[in-house]
Amino acid sequence: MRELHADVVIIGGGTGGCAAALAAAKSGKSVIMTEETDWIGGQFTSQAVPPDEHPWIEQFGCTRSYRTFRDSVRDYYRNHYPMTAEARVIPNLDPGNGSVSRLCHEPKVALAVFYQMLAPYINSGRLTILTNHKLHAVRMDGDNVLSITVEDRKHHDFHELVAPYFLDATECGDVLPQAGVEYVLGAESVDQTGEPNAVVGPPQPNDIQAFTYCFAMDYLEGENHTIAKPETYDFWRNYKADFWPDKLLSWTGSNPRNTAESVRYELFPGTKYFPLFTYRQIADPKNFQTGLYKSGVSMVNWPQNDYWLGSIIDVPEEERQRHLYGGKQLSLSLLYWMQTEAPRPDGGQGYPGLRLRKDVVGTEDGLAMYPYIRESRRIKAEFTVLEQHVSAFVRNTGKAEAFHDSVGVGSYRIDLHPSTANRNYVDVSTYPFQIPLGSLIPVRVNNLLPAGKNLGVTHITNGCFRLHPVEWNVGEVAGYLTAYCLQYGLTPRAVRNTPDELKKFQAFLYAEGVEYFWPTMYAV
């Protein structure tokens, strides 16, 4: 086994992991970051999810480095793509013109930008990235992590990674159980948290939001790109959950903000119903010179391919693989249904011209390298953010709770997708909120920090903390915090719980472009 040393080891090269690596390396620390898939970037790349952001993202409400990422994505298109003259000069260019976001773009462009931002540290040797490396084991000494062993899945050997600080930036909080870190999974009860939307009765650790295997497709009218019939298509074609208004493979779904109502969808714009193709469109031909794109390219992350039949966290490996396979089969069945049976406005059935774009996501099966994970294991933290801290329905102050130890900001509705407990959407208006440093510090372990969705939030507040800008902010602060602690001989706990040190750290973050307070804003 090869032993590698660094100042900071980051397990997981997703959105939070990359932000953490950038922060720690920029601060002069040596960093090793591992990633389970071929691509770093997480939600932006290997999960193929265009960014979900708040209404003010172009002006404020994110870190400077996150804004650099967004600007660099736009510049990448301007510098490398044959765009129309009109599109090239749009300040807030949206390459896909998708309705979900102000910046819908291709995963490979995000991947290029991540490597572009990290290039100085990779090329100087300060940052080592190990792709296709999966967590294998954690070695502890009391309340401290000594090393983490990862498996090189291509060469079938192992590396033991040794550092004074470790960050868990995995999508499911995979380091936590192996390190013996106290954590929570699933839904807390009202008795535990007092949250209005927590479950009544005992907690439900297996009540976890659906995951989704996203895929990209375009549409070539008059051509036939129908895929082979998926193995479990007949099951999905007839599947209807008790809480869902129609079969899952249909143009009818639940209204997230009022689940007693249904919503009608259509594939393309043209009638009064919500068009799904343009919802997460990542390439709009109108932005590019004629002929570059034969069609718009859409990323399919829709209600119809949310998989809620079982959890992939803290279950036996055979069960995990069964549900991962089920999630893939659902997404492929959705595509096959659209190609062959989906009702069209003209009275016909099927859109055989829908083409699965395997090249966009970089896989042989055409599905994203990794499922879109909405909910992770979450540390038991020094401070846990509750619904009462952010909900517009609970608070009568006109703003979210102000945290003395704020180290960032975020804004999104509490948006819980249907869950493995056969629960429908939970959707709650929130005020723009702060990220407290206490939510990044485990109650016991000293040198392991969360750097993604695994911070101290609840099943409910995870619904507004799980989005791209917040995950980036959490990862970036975790990276800066480890570097700060190494620089000044402190522990994360001491930084938070020593008033003078906390003020110094907040001032350091602010100088590095981390916003940690909001102007007066309205609820979303």
Side-chain angles (χ1 to χ4, degrees):
M1 185 185 300
R2 186 180 174 198
E3 190 174 287
L4 303 176
H5 292 255
D7 294 322
V8 183
V9 166
I10 303 168
I11 305 299
T15 301
C18 287
L22 182 65
K26 180 183 175 186
S27 300
K29 305 309 174 188
S30 60
V31 181
I32 297 172
M33 181 174 73
T34 70
E35 165 54 33
E36 191 173 329
T37 72
D38 288 332
W39 288 358
I40 63 171
Q43 293 190 68
F44 286 105
T45 59
S46 61
Q47 296 178 46
V49 182
D52 287 301
E53 300 169 329
H54 57 71
W56 311 283
I57 193 66
E58 302 293 357
Q59 290 80 39
F60 49 80
C62 68
T63 73
R64 182 190 300 152
S65 66
Y66 185 80
R67 190 167 305 285
T68 297
F69 172 82
R70 300 177 86 257
D71 292 343
S72 298
V73 167
R74 288 168 168 153
D75 286 342
Y76 191 94
Y77 279 96
R78 295 185 183 109
N79 294 334
H80 298 287
Y81 279 60
M83 308 197 73
T84 65
E86 296 78 11
R88 189 178 299 280
V89 297
I90 298 173
N92 296 333
L93 172 68
D94 186 348
N97 287 325
S99 61
V100 72
S101 173
R102 291 158 179 79
L103 184 62
C104 288
H105 53 83
E106 296 153 302
K108 287 182 178 178
V109 171
L111 180 66
V113 170
F114 274 115
Y115 275 111
Q116 178 179 293
M117 294 178 71
L118 294 169
Y121 312 110
I122 296 171
N123 296 337
S124 65
R126 190 179 293 174
L127 169 62
T128 300
I129 299 177
L130 304 175
T131 55
N132 283 290
H133 281 66
K134 184 176 175 61
L135 173 67
H136 178 70
V138 180
R139 190 160 61 95
M140 300 291 296
D141 180 14
D143 296 340
N144 294 284
V145 179
L146 292 181
S147 69
I148 294 181
T149 300
V150 293
E151 179 185 4
D152 181 340
R153 301 204 296 175
K154 283 193 172 179
H155 301 98
H156 306 292
D157 58 6
F158 296 87
H159 302 307
E160 184 175 15
L161 311 179
V162 182
Y165 280 98
F166 298 84
L167 303 182
D168 182 353
T170 61
E171 299 301 329
C172 297
D174 293 333
V175 180
L176 304 183
Q178 294 216 32
V181 175
E182 293 81 0
Y183 68 89
V184 179
L185 182 65
E188 296 91 345
S189 70
V190 173
D191 291 340
Q192 288 176 308
T193 67
E195 295 172 301
N197 283 287
V199 300
V200 177
Q204 297 182 17
N206 293 320
D207 183 359
I208 299 171
Q209 288 185 74
F211 68 83
T212 304
Y213 266 107
C214 303
F215 62 91
M217 64 181 188
D218 57 10
Y219 182 65
L220 305 179
E221 179 73 42
E223 298 184 12
N224 188 344
H225 295 277
T226 305
I227 62 172
K229 182 179 177 181
E231 183 179 6
T232 63
Y233 177 71
D234 290 338
F235 169 81
W236 289 113
R237 180 179 181 272
N238 295 296
Y239 173 75
K240 180 189 178 302
D242 291 340
F243 61 85
W244 206 246
D246 199 348
K247 291 180 180 179
L248 187 57
L249 300 188
S250 73
W251 294 132
T252 301
S254 282
N255 181 348
R257 300 188 184 186
N258 181 1
T259 55
E261 296 179 355
S262 61
V263 176
R264 283 292 306 276
Y265 302 106
E266 61 181 346
L267 184 56
F268 299 111
T271 69
K272 63 182 179 180
Y273 302 125
F274 184 86
L276 287 169
F277 191 90
T278 53
Y279 178 44
R280 296 183 186 273
Q281 184 173 256
I282 57 172
D284 184 347
K286 293 193 293 292
N287 282 330
F288 304 94
Q289 291 181 13
T290 303
L292 183 64
Y293 287 89
K294 294 181 179 180
S295 154
V297 180
S298 182
M299 197 62 70
V300 179
N301 174 18
W302 302 344
Q304 294 95 326
N305 62 328
D306 275 1
Y307 181 90
W308 56 66
L309 266 60
S311 172
I312 57 172
I313 304 177
D314 284 356
V315 296
E317 183 61 21
E318 182 180 350
E319 182 177 347
R320 178 176 177 272
Q321 290 300 328
R322 177 163 56 84
H323 290 309
L324 288 173
Y325 178 74
K328 288 187 172 187
Q329 283 287 299
L330 170 57
S331 287
L332 292 172
S333 294
L334 171 59
L335 174 61
Y336 186 77
W337 175 81
M338 288 192 291
Q339 291 172 324
T340 61
E341 296 191 69
R344 298 196 310 258
D346 63 4
Q349 284 188 317
Y351 297 84
L354 290 173
R355 178 174 61 162
L356 183 63
R357 290 292 304 272
K358 300 179 180 182
D359 56 314
V360 172
V361 295
T363 63
E364 284 299 315
D365 63 10
L367 303 176
M369 291 181 182
Y370 200 87
Y372 174 33
I373 302 295
R374 295 182 175 87
E375 187 170 347
S376 169
R377 300 175 182 91
R378 308 179 296 277
I379 64 166
K380 290 187 177 179
E382 285 205 343
F383 184 87
T384 300
V385 182
L386 306 176
E387 182 179 357
Q388 298 92 303
H389 295 132
V390 299
S391 168
F393 295 108
V394 174
R395 302 187 62 78
N396 57 13
T397 61
K399 57 184 178 181
E401 182 80 17
F403 299 123
H404 77 283
D405 61 343
S406 174
V407 289
V409 295
S411 180
Y412 206 75
R413 293 175 69 89
I414 290 173
D415 173 20
L416 301 185
H417 281 232
S419 77
T420 54
N422 283 319
R423 174 202 31 80
N424 210 326
Y425 291 103
V426 175
D427 189 282
V428 178
S429 175
T430 65
Y431 292 112
F433 53 83
Q434 296 175 330
I435 305 168
L437 181 57
S439 66
L440 273 68
I441 301 177
V443 293
R444 180 182 54 83
V445 173
N446 296 314
N447 66 335
L448 175 68
L449 300 176
K453 295 181 285 288
N454 52 345
L455 75 164
V457 293
T458 65
H459 174 71
I460 300 297
T461 52
N462 161 77
C464 60
F465 270 70
R466 64 180 174 80
L467 290 311
H468 303 63
V470 179
E471 182 180 338
W472 183 295
N473 197 147
V474 170
E476 184 170 353
V477 168
Y480 277 133
L481 181 57
T482 55
Y484 189 89
C485 288
L486 288 167
Q487 184 75 25
Y488 296 105
L490 299 167
T491 65
R493 218 176 305 281
V495 172
R496 181 192 182 233
N497 297 320
T498 307
D500 287 346
E501 293 297 343
L502 176 60
K503 289 179 182 177
K504 290 178 185 177
F505 181 60
Q506 288 173 317
F508 166 77
L509 291 177
Y510 192 69
E512 294 296 333
V514 178
E515 300 175 17
Y516 59 91
F517 55 87
W518 284 96
T520 300
M521 306 304 298
Y522 56 82
V524 296

